[in-house]
Amino acid sequence: MKAVVLLIIMAIYMYSIDFKEFKQKAIEVNYVLKSAKLSIQASKKSSEILTQYKNPTVEGGVNIYENKQGWDLSLSQPIRVLGFGKDLQNLATSYTNEAKANFIQTKALFLKELESLYTNFVFESKLKSLLLQELKLNQDLENIAKDRLENGAGTKVQYLMTTLETQNIYNAILEQEANIQISYFDLLNFANIDEMLDIKKEFLYTNLPDHIVSKEVNPDILKETKRYQRLSNQVQVQDHNFKYIDIIGGYEQEIDQDIVRIGVGMDIPIFSRSSKNAQLARINASKSALLLKELKLKNDLKIKALKNELQNLDKQYKALMKQQEKQFQLLKLYEEGYKISKGSLTELLTVKNRVIEQKRKALLVQKNINLKVIELNYLQGIYNENE
């Protein structure tokens, strides 16, 4: 009775949503995504700081000569040399672009894992539905065996065989319910959702995707590309030995004369670190370029392998579906034969188990197809989203 009341209470507080709505809720409450988005804002502010002009410098003083005095005032304004300002702006932009690419990768990984966990939840739920179908089939056999026993055409052994099989299925349903709960809470935990939601249980991909060829970019490659661009821009910035020229102006009032001074000044790179920083940035850029080549090569190979696996899985699924129809027809023939005492109960149970096993295999193939499509989506950049 308590269990029934609990189920009623849960039903009141739960409402049914599809995966699209569930995904949106998960995105809205995901703290990692919020943090990655804040990093974009931080990078924009850092870029503004990097590209803003240096403040002018003002100097002044008083010159004392016995009973008289003079004074002087000078102003110095650093001005970027030709080309340095543009390279600095490119570097600032690349920092923001890298932060955006990091957000895209973070979100893509999140969506990939969310869909994978949901696929597992759907699979476990559909396995339970399959067990319930098996229970119905076995209960029909149990009723037939009972009728035969009462009519003197069957034996108690046959009837007990069907009842034991029914109990085994009940036990399997209880075990499967535990598996469903585990997959359900894994999904909620990953999504950071603490509501008991009734999520509709349907595979996301029932057919091979239309986007088998995508123009999008693997988010890992996109992120490394933006990193390489940032490192390359760092090289350009560090390659400037002369970055600023100081425009200097001054006025000095002496006892017997006024002096106006105009001039320029610049750092002499005798002990400059720019060359060493440029060498280090160039090394890091070269490493990034090599990593980028490796990522692209491996990504292409993985995509080819996944497409091949998907084609094979699709063929397996279609073959299993055809086989299911024949197995089910055979089951009905055995069931009719057993009703009129022309069949073996053992053979009937064997055929029934084969029907269920074929359906279980088809579900497993469906699950694998979905997981492969999800992986393909990630590799081809289908989950790349800026918002």
Side-chain angles (χ1 to χ4, degrees):
M1 184 64 184
K2 289 182 179 179
V4 174
V5 173
L6 181 61
L7 288 174
I8 293 173
I9 293 173
M10 288 180 64
I12 292 173
Y13 286 97
M14 291 174 67
Y15 64 95
S16 181
I17 62 172
D18 59 17
F19 179 74
K20 184 177 180 181
E21 186 179 351
F22 175 78
K23 179 177 72 172
Q24 189 57 41
K25 289 175 70 70
I27 290 172
E28 290 172 359
V29 300
N30 188 271
Y31 300 114
V32 175
L33 293 180
K34 290 179 180 180
S35 176
K37 184 163 283 190
L38 286 174
S39 295
I40 296 176
Q41 297 179 23
S43 70
K44 289 180 180 179
K45 291 300 178 183
S46 297
S47 297
E48 291 175 6
I49 294 171
L50 182 65
T51 55
Q52 70 183 10
Y53 282 93
K54 291 185 177 182
N55 291 319
T57 302
V58 178
E59 294 182 2
V62 176
N63 303 321
I64 300 176
Y65 305 92
E66 295 180 353
N67 296 325
K68 297 182 179 180
Q69 66 181 24
W71 58 273
D72 66 85
L73 181 69
S74 64
L75 176 69
S76 175
Q77 174 63 57
I79 302 296
R80 293 168 185 161
V81 299
L82 186 64
F84 176 68
K86 182 180 178 181
D87 289 339
L88 198 62
Q89 182 61 56
N90 290 339
L91 176 60
T93 302
S94 66
Y95 273 114
T96 301
N97 290 339
E98 187 177 7
K100 289 179 179 178
N102 181 66
F103 172 78
I104 289 172
Q105 184 208 36
T106 301
K107 190 170 184 179
L109 284 169
F110 172 75
L111 293 176
K112 173 189 172 185
E113 184 64 16
L114 189 70
E115 287 195 1
S116 298
L117 289 170
Y118 174 73
T119 297
N120 188 58
F121 170 62
V122 171
F123 173 70
E124 298 294 347
S125 300
K126 287 188 176 293
L127 277 183
K128 180 188 173 182
S129 298
L130 181 57
L131 286 169
L132 291 173
Q133 293 177 34
E134 184 180 8
L135 179 64
K136 177 65 171 60
L137 287 173
N138 211 80
Q139 285 173 337
D140 291 342
L141 298 183
E142 187 177 336
N143 290 333
I144 294 172
K146 184 179 180 181
D147 290 341
R148 288 190 60 184
L149 176 62
E150 291 174 350
N151 295 329
T155 65
K156 191 172 183 179
V157 171
Q158 292 176 332
Y159 176 64
L160 287 175
M161 284 176 63
T162 59
T163 57
L164 285 172
E165 184 72 8
T166 299
Q167 188 59 51
N168 288 335
I169 298 170
Y170 270 124
N171 294 337
I173 290 172
L174 292 175
E175 292 177 3
Q176 189 57 33
E177 186 62 42
N179 293 334
I180 292 171
Q181 290 300 310
I182 291 171
S183 63
Y184 176 70
F185 284 105
D186 283 346
L187 179 61
L188 291 184
N189 182 59
F190 180 77
N192 286 332
I193 292 177
D194 58 359
E195 299 177 65
M196 296 295 291
L197 302 174
D198 180 19
I199 309 168
K200 294 179 181 177
K201 308 166 189 68
E202 294 296 335
F203 283 119
L204 296 171
Y205 308 101
T206 54
N207 299 305
L208 293 187
D210 295 330
H211 55 266
I212 204 77
V213 177
S214 171
K215 294 182 181 179
E216 301 299 326
V217 181
N218 179 328
D220 298 334
I221 293 176
L222 177 64
K223 179 180 177 181
E224 190 59 35
T225 299
K226 297 305 180 183
R227 178 173 177 269
Y228 171 72
Q229 291 173 356
R230 188 258 301 167
L231 290 169
S232 297
N233 288 330
Q234 281 185 329
V235 172
Q236 296 298 320
V237 169
Q238 295 295 341
D239 269 342
H240 287 274
N241 288 322
F242 297 98
K243 298 179 175 64
Y244 292 92
I245 294 177
D246 292 329
I247 304 299
I248 304 169
Y251 177 80
E252 184 176 349
Q253 187 181 69
E254 298 290 347
I255 299 174
D256 55 352
Q257 61 181 340
D258 295 338
I259 302 173
V260 177
R261 291 184 291 109
I262 299 176
V264 296
M266 65 178 65
D267 291 334
I268 300 176
I270 298 175
F271 304 107
S272 175
R273 296 180 180 179
S274 292
S275 60
K276 290 183 174 60
N277 289 336
Q279 291 173 12
L280 179 60
R282 194 170 284 108
I283 291 171
N284 289 332
S286 297
K287 287 169 60 179
S288 178
L290 292 173
L291 179 58
L292 199 52
K293 287 182 179 180
E294 182 182 22
L295 284 173
K296 289 179 178 179
L297 176 63
K298 289 185 175 180
N299 190 66
D300 290 342
L301 290 173
K302 286 179 181 178
I303 288 175
K304 289 177 182 178
L306 279 172
K307 289 179 179 178
N308 186 59
E309 289 177 45
L310 278 169
Q311 295 292 343
N312 289 333
L313 286 170
D314 187 54
K315 291 176 183 178
Q316 287 180 42
Y317 182 72
K318 290 175 180 177
L320 284 168
M321 295 307 292
K322 288 181 180 180
Q323 196 173 2
Q324 271 187 37
E325 295 176 10
K326 294 179 181 179
Q327 288 279 7
F328 192 73
Q329 291 173 5
L330 184 62
L331 175 63
K332 288 301 178 183
L333 290 174
Y334 268 92
E335 190 175 305
E336 291 298 323
Y338 182 65
K339 283 181 181 179
I340 58 177
S341 304
K342 289 186 178 180
S344 164
L345 176 61
T346 303
E347 291 177 350
L348 178 55
L349 290 173
T350 300
V351 174
K352 184 267 295 182
N353 290 336
R354 285 176 181 171
V355 169
I356 298 301
E357 184 59 29
Q358 289 294 323
K359 290 189 175 185
R360 186 178 285 108
K361 286 181 179 179
L363 278 178
L364 184 58
V365 171
Q366 275 187 295
K367 175 188 175 183
N368 287 333
I369 286 175
N370 274 259
L371 291 177
K372 299 295 182 186
V373 171
I374 291 167
E375 180 67 21
L376 185 63
N377 284 348
Y378 182 82
L379 295 178
Q380 294 192 136
I382 303 301
Y383 298 133
N384 292 3
E385 297 180 9
N386 291 317
E387 298 297 332

